[in-house]
Amino acid sequence: MSYKRWLFIAVFLFVIGLVLGSVTKTSIAALFAEDVAALEELAEQLSPLPQSSIFAFVFIKNVSALLISFALSPIFCLAPVIALIFNGGLLGLVSALVIEEESLGYLLAGLLPHGIFELPAFIMGEAAALSFGMAVILALFKKERRKLLLPNLGQNLRYLAVALVLLLPAAIIETYITPLFLG
């Protein structure tokens, strides 16, 4: 399957999570309540740190999340599927809550500057994880697919590398510019 199809599948899974998170925010809120509380607590703990430390934390967290998902993808592609739906759901929930409490403009000011880089990077990385994970699974069951495994790994590592590079400007913008927009 081509990488474009994996991108489509990754976007589809992310949008499913996004819709579920934003439409069913009351029932989903209970599921994500601990996660949102943990994010708020983390933000409070990071706020006294120098911005360079916050940048390093954000960048390393995002990079490690993609790398872990890629590494675990051969296990039935569960890690990328869960990551896409979960992150979409969390974004949908938080977006719905922010729009209710603040405004759409506030949400866009907080999301768009770094989201322009971070969301495509996330989806590209998870699409590469899905592609690689499925290639490994197929290679386990079909002998003729084993010779395609190494080229698939190489191709998906290139896509993953592009995604990881995109996380750098995303972390810079999230740390230094987004707070200026949110005032």
Side-chain angles (χ1 to χ4, degrees), residues 92-116:
L93 170 66
V94 170
S95 297
L97 295 175
V98 168
I99 290 172
E100 273 183 14
E101 292 180 18
E102 297 290 335
S103 68
L104 176 61
Y106 188 82
L107 172 69
L108 294 176
L111 186 60
L112 281 181
H114 71 280
I116 290 172

Side-chain angles (χ1 to χ4, degrees), residues 8-21:
F8 175 76
I9 291 168
V11 168
F12 179 74
L13 291 170
F14 186 79
V15 169
I16 286 173
L18 193 65
V19 169
L20 287 173

Side-chain angles (χ1 to χ4, degrees), residues 20-42:
L20 287 173
S22 60
V23 171
T24 60
K25 64 180 179 259
T26 52
S27 57
I28 296 291
L31 291 173
F32 288 113
E34 289 181 24
D35 297 310
V36 173
L39 286 174
E40 289 172 350
E41 183 180 326
L42 180 62

